[in-house]
Amino acid sequence: MTTVAPQGAAARFVGQRVARREDPRLLAGRGRYADDVNLPGQLHVAFLRSDVPAGRIRHIDTSAARSLKGVHAVLTGAELNPASGPLWTTTMGPPAWGPPLRPLAGDDVRFVGDPIALVVASSRYVAEDACELIEVDIEPTPAVSDLDSAMAEGAPIVHPELGTNLVETPRAPDPELDDALASAAHVVTRTFAMARVTNVPMEGRGLVAWWDAYGEELRVWPSTQSPHEIKAFAARVLGIGEHRVRVEFGDVGGGFGQKMFPTREEAAVLLAAKLVGRPVKWVEDRRENLIAANQARHDIATVTMAVDAEGHFLAACVDLLEGVGSYPAGGGAQGGGALVAMMFTGPYRIPRLGFSSRTVFTNTCGKAPFRGPWAVETIAREQMVDAVAREIGMDPLELRRRNVVRQADLPYTLPSGMVYDVVTAEETLEQAVASLGWEDFRAEQAAARAQGRHLGVGLSLSVEPSAVGMGAWGTEQAIVRIDVAGKVEVLLGSGSHGHSLETTIPQVVADHLGCALDDVVLRQGGDTPYGPGTGGSRSAVIAGGAAQSAATTLREKVVAIASHLLEAAPEDLEVAGSAVSVRGTPSARVTFAELAGAAYLNPDALPAGLEPGLEATSRFRPPSMFTWSNACHLCACEVDAATGVVTLLRYVVSEDCGVMINPMVVEGQIAGGVAQGIGGALYEEMAYDASGNPLATTFLDYLVPTAAEVPVIEYGHVETPSGSLGGYKGMGEGGAIASPAAVANAVNDALASFRAAVTQFPITPERVLEAIERATS
Amino acid sequence: MPERTIELTVNGERRVVAVEDRTTLADALRERCHLTGTHLACEHGVCGACTVLVDGAAVRSCLLFAVQAVGSEVTTVEGLTPPDGTLSPVQEAFREAHGLQCGFCTPGFVVSVTAYLAEHPDPSDDELRDALTGNLCRCTGYQGILRAARLAAERLREVRGAAAGQPAGDLAATAGAVGGGAGS
């Protein structure tokens, strides 16, 4: 464990709790979200959606809707879909196999919420009125909403084109694994089920699109995590060159994975804009967001673990059952299976791993990434560790201590072949345990138990594979530019959707360029170099690395020009506060503004042979396929055995995300993830009835945690630099990945005295009481 | 649907706008008054993002028709911000305590906290937590928001202490101290 000083002598901003530069405008109500964009002549879109989970469209009559005053267009699938290019995404590529992708429903509907038609009208009010006037005759057909029904013999097929609801990946033959399972002192099998949940960004999906006939280009103001994906997607959908699409990037009200991939509705709105020839706006309402904007999780993992007599893990076997709904985001049958298999052994020495999976389509909303789409590896594994501990009669802390990857084990090769270079699983475990006071809590728990109260404590360890270094996700390019007046612009293809890049990227640039923080602005959007956007906890590592690299290069040029102007050797110069001075002679000084004056306006003043201008560019790729961060979460709770209500008492996070650019932002990211994890573990469920009707269509049914449900979070940091530039590690998803199991383990620790356990999320009071009832009857 | 012309008082200014009877106050503020700081995140009265002050009381502007606000003083988040471009004590506390990330729910929280602290100048942590349950945030886990509300309460008590002679809990006084003419 090392604590790292900020990099370099002039470092002043990296590592500081710098107040966010995006805050003043957001606090004053001057954010610019998609719905805040209003263009002259703008029209509004509303969608007519299916209210049946499956059916054949026999007839659509739009005449009454069309004749309503204020209606400019009513478009059905028959009219709109033929105009559409393919809907695949640049980052995922065209799917080799998967559901048919089209903006609106064709001859049939496949889930409640499936868009059937869209109306373009003078206001959203009128557009919705017109939707009610569209007559649709749908003949309902049999539907499947739960995974077992969808896999049953003779089940209705969600996508007739595919001929099946099921994609199976069998376990590869592995005799050594079979031996371990057959001969171990303890072999334990459990099933853990994560409910279907949804991301719930406070701002739903939305965009303004305008076909600018004057510029012969499409202009888009999206709500997205990836302005460049919107650009490429729009170009494909409209069949025009990407250079004919301009994407403005404003404020984005959260995404958490939901806004990584453009969706069918966005394609439909882009097409409508071109057809209507006026700016059109679509901003979904909460019902649309809940039932149609893609959902997440719905992973059911059956885990078998083989453990020797001393509690050492010998092997694990995972069978993953994953519901992907009807149209998974990004196309294909996107499941998290590959990463689950890669990461299942997590922070433990588990020599052998078996993995199999089944991915299942149902007549429900499709699955999308959500803050750690592969999180079931941690959520199931960490619950499994506790289940094994209870089974073999060992404290779960002790079982973890015996198996956790230690410094002496590094570099450590996982059964999947991945290699941990820098991880501190043991250090975060011990820091969190010390912070809670594990033994004290056990004593308090015993005392409470004697009074008839049920306290519990749960641990969860996680290693996060941040910053994918491959394929479209593997790089990011920064342009750092000192302008004519000496101020600094950073251009990045990132898509900050609330995670503070307007502050953290300038912190990095200010340090490595040597300028004042207030002199730097970050520009994002379609006019920046290509980047895949935000996702996979990549921004600090890859965007930060690109910004640092470009800033460092530009600083060399700054020094070269200053050296010439000041007639001093480069090694005697100091760059700080947007000026260069001779060390020991502060009066010998030239400001960035003066340097820019020479670089742009007076090239004769430059050193011979030096290219005029003050700009540097760097496309950065991290050195490893993943940059590992890790964390230990610890939750203490009380379960009311009479009501089943769970109250969280304490929540401790110890994490290692390498060099922290801004610890305040790091802690904010952790807290948000933890709250989402608590929601998934205890409250949130995007439920469907047996017929395929969504049961959570408002915030009265879909229970996002409030301030009353999230306890104070206590943070500990272990700061071990990664091998990537700057030593940064990604951590945006870790909070959501590690927290659900910490909560579940705390609840089940509290229930251990009943020999009861709940393994189905959300852990509602009803499920707690049922578990106690089952165990004690 | 026919429109009628109504007169609203928003952030101390008289606004004459054309609305339908069914136009919500939120839409009137956003689309007719061009005050887009009031955000819509559920439009069914749960999330609190659209919270504004009507005659000093925090209300959900998605649940009110614009015509119901005729004759009332409406204050939006824009109206809480001092005219000199600085931030109000509540806004400043949100910045210092990292009480926001994406910022979408933030105006609702700022308005709600401003209204709550005006009437409850010295809340306990539990009371504050309870008061905040009327607004949803998906980014922060409420950690920074609670810290911000506590910090704002402290600062406002100091302001109140300095403004001798003003009755505690008087919203107009507090709003004046807050700086934007809320409820004035």
Side-chain angles (χ1 to χ4, degrees):
Chain A
M1 184 186 327
T2 34
T3 300
V4 178
Q7 309 267 298
R12 291 174 46 224
F13 301 109
V14 168
Q16 304 296 314
R17 293 174 181 265
V18 172
R20 296 205 323 163
R21 312 175 76 228
E22 41 278 81
D23 285 355
R25 70 166 189 273
L26 299 178
L27 282 160
R30 296 193 306 266
R32 203 213 65 197
Y33 302 88
D35 198 14
D36 303 334
V37 174
N38 290 298
L39 302 179
Q42 175 178 286
L43 301 171
H44 299 260
V45 169
F47 285 93
L48 174 73
R49 297 176 181 279
S50 175
D51 54 10
V52 298
R56 266 184 292 280
I57 299 175
R58 282 196 290 227
H59 179 67
I60 305 180
D61 182 352
T62 59
S63 54
R66 279 175 211 275
S67 61
L68 185 69
K69 185 166 178 273
V71 171
H72 289 252
V74 182
L75 297 163
T76 64
E79 290 149 323
L80 195 77
N81 292 348
S84 178
L87 268 57
W88 48 269
T89 63
T90 303
T91 43
M92 304 305 287
W97 184 89
L101 290 172
R102 48 197 166 217
L104 297 174
D107 300 330
D108 57 16
V109 290
R110 301 184 185 186
F111 71 102
V112 172
D114 206 341
I116 295 171
L118 74 76
V119 173
V120 184
S122 54
S123 75
R124 173 78 184 211
Y125 288 72
V126 174
E128 289 188 23
D129 289 345
C131 283
E132 289 182 12
L133 295 174
I134 300 174
E135 287 176 29
V136 188
D137 180 8
I138 300 179
E139 176 193 356
T141 54
V144 282
S145 70
D146 67 277
L147 303 186
D148 287 339
S149 307
M151 291 187 292
E153 193 70 34
I157 300 296
V158 176
H159 299 296
E161 300 87 345
L162 303 181
T164 179
N165 294 331
L166 178 64
V167 183
E168 276 189 279
T169 307
R171 175 154 82 84
D174 184 345
E176 285 183 49
L177 177 69
D178 296 337
D179 283 351
L181 294 174
S183 61
H186 307 281
V187 176
V188 183
T189 298
R190 293 282 188 283
T191 297
F192 304 97
M194 294 164 71
R196 172 184 285 250
V197 297
T198 179
N199 309 42
V200 192
M202 292 312 295
E203 179 205 31
R205 294 173 298 166
L207 73 163
V208 175
W210 173 40
W211 175 255
D212 175 3
Y214 297 86
E216 291 189 340
E217 59 190 9
L218 181 78
R219 303 195 63 193
V220 190
W221 290 257
S223 177
T224 183
Q225 295 174 225
S226 177
H228 285 277
E229 190 66 81
I230 292 283
K231 185 171 171 170
F233 182 83
R236 276 190 291 272
V237 167
L238 265 58
I240 58 178
E242 274 192 48
H243 64 310
R244 290 293 181 203
V245 182
R246 295 188 58 195
V247 175
E248 301 285 339
F249 191 75
D251 290 304
V252 178
F256 318 113
Q258 192 170 74
K259 297 174 185 171
M260 279 171 80
F261 304 117
T263 55
R264 294 168 61 202
E265 286 91 337
E266 285 152 309
V269 173
L270 293 166
L271 288 162
K274 182 91 193 303
L275 289 171
V276 173
R278 281 177 54 178
V280 296
K281 175 189 282 187
W282 171 63
V283 173
E284 70 180 349
D285 64 24
R286 187 53 60 182
R287 180 175 179 274
E288 292 181 280
N289 179 261
L290 287 171
I291 70 170
N294 289 108
Q295 299 168 7
R297 309 291 190 224
H298 206 188
D299 296 309
I300 297 140
T302 298
V303 185
T304 298
M305 274 184 92
V307 184
D308 75 11
E310 284 76 45
H312 298 112
F313 298 150
L314 301 174
C317 226
V318 192
D319 180 59
L320 177 66
L321 176 60
E322 186 180 7
V324 295
S326 50
Y327 295 100
Q334 304 298 342
L339 261 174
V340 175
M342 200 178 284
M343 291 308 302
F344 186 83
T345 56
Y348 304 109
R349 287 167 282 124
I350 306 178
R352 299 212 77 79
L353 175 72
F355 179 82
S356 56
S357 71
R358 287 168 294 163
T359 298
V360 182
F361 290 106
T362 55
N363 292 105
T364 60
C365 183
K367 182 167 178 165
F370 181 18
R371 212 166 194 170
W374 62 92
V376 65
E377 51 81 24
T378 288
I379 295 165
R381 180 192 62 244
E382 292 301 313
Q383 292 184 83
M384 187 65 187
V385 172
D386 272 41
V388 168
R390 279 192 294 275
E391 186 82 16
I392 69 175
M394 186 182 287
D395 191 278
L397 171 58
E398 179 56 28
L399 184 59
R400 285 182 172 82
R401 281 176 168 158
R402 289 190 188 191
N403 290 283
V404 72
V405 172
R406 304 150 300 190
Q407 292 307 309
D409 300 316
L410 300 178
Y412 178 79
T413 304
L414 282 67
S416 58
M418 304 304 302
V419 179
Y420 292 155
D421 50 355
V422 183
V423 296
T424 53
E426 186 179 28
E427 288 77 2
T428 56
L429 172 65
E430 296 302 339
Q431 190 183 64
V433 162
S435 176
L436 177 84
W438 185 268
E439 297 305 328
D440 293 348
F441 184 85
R442 284 296 190 210
E444 188 188 338
Q445 183 181 31
R449 185 70 202 89
Q451 298 166 357
R453 293 169 56 212
H454 302 271
L455 306 190
V457 61
L459 279 164
S460 175
L461 284 170
S462 183
V463 179
E464 183 180 351
S466 85
V468 179
M470 301 166 46
W473 299 100
T475 72
E476 197 74 54
Q477 180 171 342
I479 297 172
V480 178
R481 174 188 298 154
I482 297 174
D483 69 20
V484 180
K487 303 295 186 193
V488 181
E489 270 186 317
V490 185
L491 277 68
L492 269 170
S494 52
S496 182
H497 55 290
H499 46 294
S500 316
L501 294 185
E502 287 177 54
T503 302
T504 53
I505 295 295
Q507 284 182 261
V508 169
V509 169
D511 271 3
H512 292 274
L513 183 56
C515 62
L517 185 61
D518 282 346
D519 284 353
V520 192
V521 295
L522 173 67
R523 300 207 188 286
Q524 305 173 90
D527 293 341
T528 62
Y530 173 77
T534 46
S537 301
R538 62 190 300 278
S539 297
V541 177
I542 309 184
Q548 179 165 330
S549 173
T552 303
T553 304
L554 184 55
R555 182 195 184 105
E556 288 167 15
K557 188 163 187 181
V558 163
V559 167
I561 299 174
S563 165
H564 184 70
L565 295 181
L566 294 170
E567 297 179 343
E571 54 272 21
D572 294 336
L573 298 180
E574 195 167 65
V575 190
S578 302
V580 187
S581 56
V582 178
R583 213 170 273 117
T585 315
S587 59
R589 181 171 183 272
V590 57
T591 64
F592 277 20
E594 289 161 342
L595 290 168
Y600 292 106
L601 310 178
N602 188 11
D604 289 335
L606 297 177
L610 190 74
E611 185 183 295
L614 269 180
E615 182 172 309
T617 182
S618 171
R619 182 164 285 277
F620 178 75
R621 182 184 186 187
S624 307
M625 180 163 157
F626 293 109
T627 303
W628 311 105
S629 63
N630 58 273
C632 177
H633 288 217
L634 206 160
C635 178
C637 77
E638 176 160 6
V639 177
D640 184 329
T643 63
V645 168
V646 174
T647 305
L648 303 187
L649 305 174
R650 281 186 67 184
Y651 203 99
V652 178
V653 177
S654 169
E655 63 78 46
D656 186 346
C657 66
V659 172
M660 288 188 282
I661 298 171
N662 186 329
M664 179 186 84
V665 169
V666 167
E667 290 170 3
Q669 287 291 310
I670 295 169
V674 167
Q676 290 171 354
I678 289 170
L682 297 180
Y683 308 110
E684 296 177 34
E685 180 165 19
M686 192 60 228
Y688 282 83
D689 70 13
S691 316
N693 297 299
L695 301 178
T697 60
T698 70
F699 281 152
L700 297 173
D701 328 297
Y702 192 84
L703 303 178
V704 171
T706 73
E709 281 80 46
V710 185
V712 170
I713 300 169
E714 304 159 52
Y715 309 98
H717 301 290
V718 177
E719 206 171 345
T720 317
S722 73
S724 189
L725 190 63
Y728 317 125
K729 303 173 184 174
M731 51 71 61
E733 292 160 291
I737 294 169
S739 49
V743 173
N745 286 344
V747 172
N748 288 330
D749 187 52
L751 296 178
S753 55
F754 294 105
R755 299 188 170 281
V758 184
T759 55
Q760 165 77 55
F761 287 177
I763 304 175
T764 57
E766 292 88 335
R767 287 190 173 125
V768 169
L769 294 178
E770 279 166 21
I772 294 173
E773 175 76 23
R774 260 200 317 275
T776 52
S777 64
Chain B
M1 199 166 276
E3 291 189 339
R4 69 174 76 214
T5 299
I6 60 167
E7 197 176 302
L8 297 174
T9 307
V10 185
N11 301 332
E13 276 182 44
R14 207 176 67 112
R15 310 290 292 253
V16 179
V17 294
V19 296
E20 297 177 15
D21 287 351
R22 63 179 176 174
T23 303
T24 64
L25 177 58
D27 285 338
L29 291 170
R30 289 181 50 79
E31 293 175 9
R32 304 289 188 272
C33 301
H34 310 292
L35 293 166
T36 55
T38 299
H39 293 160
L40 290 164
C42 78
E43 294 173 89
H44 51 258
V46 179
C47 77
C50 67
T51 303
V52 299
L53 303 180
V54 174
D55 294 330
V59 302
R60 288 162 196 239
S61 60
C62 75
L63 294 186
L64 214 61
F65 294 117
V67 292
Q68 291 174 281
V70 172
S72 296
E73 305 263 352
V74 179
T75 305
T76 68
V77 68
E78 290 93 339
L80 298 180
T81 308
D84 63 2
T86 58
L87 298 175
S88 75
V90 171
Q91 289 166 329
E92 187 54 47
F94 267 74
R95 186 175 192 217
E96 280 181 45
H98 195 27
L100 66 156
Q101 290 182 24
C102 83
F104 200 76
C105 71
T106 306
F109 271 100
V110 167
V111 173
S112 295
V113 168
T114 301
Y116 179 77
L117 293 181
E119 292 188 359
H120 307 84
D122 194 7
S124 69
D125 281 2
D126 283 348
E127 286 168 340
L128 259 187
R129 193 178 278 279
D130 192 50
L132 292 174
T133 57
N135 292 67
L136 296 180
C137 169
R138 194 60 160 170
C139 291
T140 65
Y142 306 100
Q143 305 294 305
I145 294 174
L146 272 162
R147 286 196 303 270
R150 209 178 301 139
L151 184 61
E154 287 165 20
R155 297 253 172 90
L156 288 170
R157 282 199 299 275
E158 285 165 21
V159 171
R160 262 193 213 91
Q166 295 199 342
D170 175 6
L171 179 67
T174 307
V178 159
S184 59

